Amino acid sequence: MKMINYKIVSKRIAIIISALMGLMAVVILGFYFFKNNPELLQKSERTITIWEPRNVDEDMANSFIMPDVKYGYDLLTQTQKHLGPQAENPQMRLSGNNLKCTSCHLDSGNRPGSGSWAGVTQRYPSFRGRSNAMGTIEDRINGCMERSMNGQKLDKDSREMRAIVAYMDWLSEGIPKDEVKKVSGYTTLDPPNAKVDLQKGRQVFTKHCIECHQEDGQGLKHEDFRDGYVYPPLWGDDTFNDGAGMHRVLTAAQFIKANMPYLVATRDKPVLTDEEAYNVAGYINSFNRPEKSNKEKDYPDLKLKPVSTPYGPWEDDFTAEQHKYGPFPPIIAYYKEKFDIKKSK
């Protein structure tokens, strides 16, 4: 039988006790130090919560990017190649036009005031008036596929859907909840209590929009059209359909005010007045575009339908003309008075 060396055991126990006492001393001293210097903890907290939007182009070029994130970026910035009419695989031609998702979600979906995707996945699931039900981020993406892209839904379990959501998650990394609202959506707009003036809208279009979108509104194509449009068409066969949110005058006006003229206006420093944005949005939406089928099934609860939705039915007696071109304040006032629903678009 092996004899126990009590001297060695005692020595090891003494070492362990000393170490524990030392650790306790460090904890006590640390507690005392930070109790008397609370600003150090506050400074650390502030540092952790500082968030800045990604520099997407720089990160894509110089950082390690997970394959799903990179594929999502490619799908969203070159949609016409991967999911549109130019996709090599006919089964992947799910988008019905040559727009990119980033034709509207500017700066790779990272521009405040243009429906930024930073933080968007934090906002879902959420209630969607168009379906009168809770919707997921995948439902929201498919809404754009069917309307803005004038196409078909993606399979929710497909590699493409997972990649798009992965890219949006990547854009959202580290964003505090109070920042999400600051970067999402478009901007506020006070609609004039008047019908859209199409002549004034045409004047605004001529002054501010023709340089990019051309006089005929058909945009500017890349020399190699496999790259799609430099600036997208605003009406005609190769653009969003009449079920898209951008076909509503008030929604379009909010977007235009926050972002146009491109690279000149910002949400914080718009170029156009509310009236100018309103009239030019009406002018753009006065032209023909693809028709979405089954629009009458949108908004099962008609009280939730945006007031500038130009197709019926509606939960009111205002004319189709007024729902398309305004004036909208009387319709807004009606829903507030009768149903206590506050509407902004």
Side-chain angles (χ1 to χ4, degrees):
M1 179 182 292
K2 189 175 180 180
M3 300 295 292
I4 297 174
N5 189 327
Y6 290 101
K7 187 179 289 187
I8 293 174
V9 172
S10 298
K11 187 174 181 180
R12 288 178 178 173
I13 291 173
I15 291 171
I16 293 171
I17 292 172
S18 297
L20 289 172
M21 291 179 66
L23 181 60
M24 288 177 64
V26 169
V27 171
I28 292 169
L29 286 171
F31 176 77
Y32 177 81
F33 179 75
F34 285 111
K35 183 179 179 182
N36 289 279
N37 298 274
E39 71 281 356
L40 294 178
L41 280 175
Q42 293 169 1
K43 182 177 180 180
S44 174
E45 221 171 71
R46 283 196 300 271
T47 301
I48 291 170
T49 58
I50 288 174
W51 178 85
E52 293 289 339
R54 286 186 181 275
N55 185 324
V56 176
D57 292 338
E58 184 176 309
D59 285 354
M60 285 290 163
N62 301 314
S63 302
F64 171 76
I65 305 295
M66 294 295 288
D68 265 5
V69 173
K70 180 62 169 64
Y71 186 42
Y73 168 80
D74 291 341
L75 291 170
L76 293 165
T77 59
Q78 293 293 325
T79 317
Q80 80 289 343
K81 284 184 181 179
H82 298 281
L83 297 175
Q86 301 187 48
E88 291 184 8
N89 181 354
Q91 294 183 338
M92 293 302 295
R93 294 170 187 167
L94 300 175
S95 173
N97 57 41
N98 285 285
L99 300 183
K100 307 170 176 67
C101 296
T102 51
S103 296
C104 290
H105 300 274
L106 304 175
D107 298 351
S108 303
N110 207 29
R111 182 184 174 101
S114 68
S116 171
W117 294 321
V120 69
T121 53
Q122 292 184 20
R123 293 160 41 205
Y124 289 87
S126 67
F127 180 79
R128 303 181 70 222
R130 186 178 273 153
S131 59
N132 199 32
M134 294 296 292
T136 63
I137 185 62
E138 291 84 1
D139 292 325
R140 184 67 183 88
I141 291 165
N142 274 334
C144 282
M145 285 296 298
E146 290 189 300
R147 297 167 189 271
S148 297
M149 308 308 292
N150 190 35
Q152 305 170 51
K153 292 180 179 180
L154 287 165
D155 185 329
K156 290 186 180 181
D157 296 320
S158 65
R159 180 194 173 203
E160 287 69 31
M161 181 65 83
R162 292 198 305 271
I164 289 171
V165 175
Y167 175 74
M168 293 176 178
D169 278 333
W170 178 78
L171 275 186
S172 306
E173 284 179 0
I175 186 170
K177 288 183 179 180
D178 60 355
E179 286 287 331
V180 174
K181 189 174 181 180
K182 294 180 183 178
V183 300
S184 63
Y186 303 141
T187 191
T188 57
L189 181 132
D190 187 17
N193 194 12
K195 181 181 176 181
V196 166
D197 188 320
L198 293 177
Q199 181 59 33
K200 288 183 178 179
R202 182 175 180 277
Q203 291 170 0
V204 174
F205 186 84
T206 301
K207 181 177 180 181
H208 294 286
C209 310
I210 280 179
E211 183 177 353
C212 296
H213 297 287
Q214 311 301 298
E215 187 171 2
D216 62 0
Q218 296 310 292
L220 180 65
K221 296 179 178 179
H222 281 282
E223 187 173 338
D224 182 347
F225 192 53
R226 286 176 297 181
D227 292 325
Y229 292 97
V230 181
Y231 303 109
L234 301 178
W235 59 79
D237 295 334
D238 206 27
T239 189
F240 56 90
N241 65 39
D242 63 353
M246 207 61 76
H247 190 53
R248 299 193 298 258
V249 164
L250 294 185
T251 299
Q254 290 171 0
F255 173 84
I256 290 166
K257 178 186 172 184
N259 297 287
M260 298 296 144
Y262 183 49
L263 298 181
V264 180
T266 66
R267 183 168 63 176
D268 296 331
K269 293 183 179 180
V271 171
L272 302 182
T273 65
D274 287 1
E275 182 182 2
E276 288 172 327
Y278 174 74
N279 285 326
V280 77
Y283 175 73
I284 289 167
N285 280 319
S286 69
F287 292 92
N288 291 330
R289 61 183 66 260
E291 294 185 13
K292 185 183 183 304
S293 61
N294 301 317
K295 296 190 298 293
E296 69 281 357
K297 295 181 180 179
D298 288 353
Y299 300 95
D301 184 349
L302 295 176
K303 296 190 297 296
L304 303 180
K305 204 167 193 175
V307 297
S308 59
T309 306
Y311 55 87
W314 302 277
E315 189 71 27
D316 58 63
D317 295 325
F318 294 95
T319 65
E321 177 85 359
Q322 187 164 350
H323 275 289
K324 182 169 184 177
Y325 292 121
F328 297 106
I331 310 178
I332 292 171
Y334 171 83
Y335 281 90
K336 178 62 179 171
E337 180 179 349
K338 183 164 185 177
F339 303 110
D340 197 27
I341 297 176
K342 185 177 181 181
K343 295 177 180 276
S344 61
K345 59 184 180 180

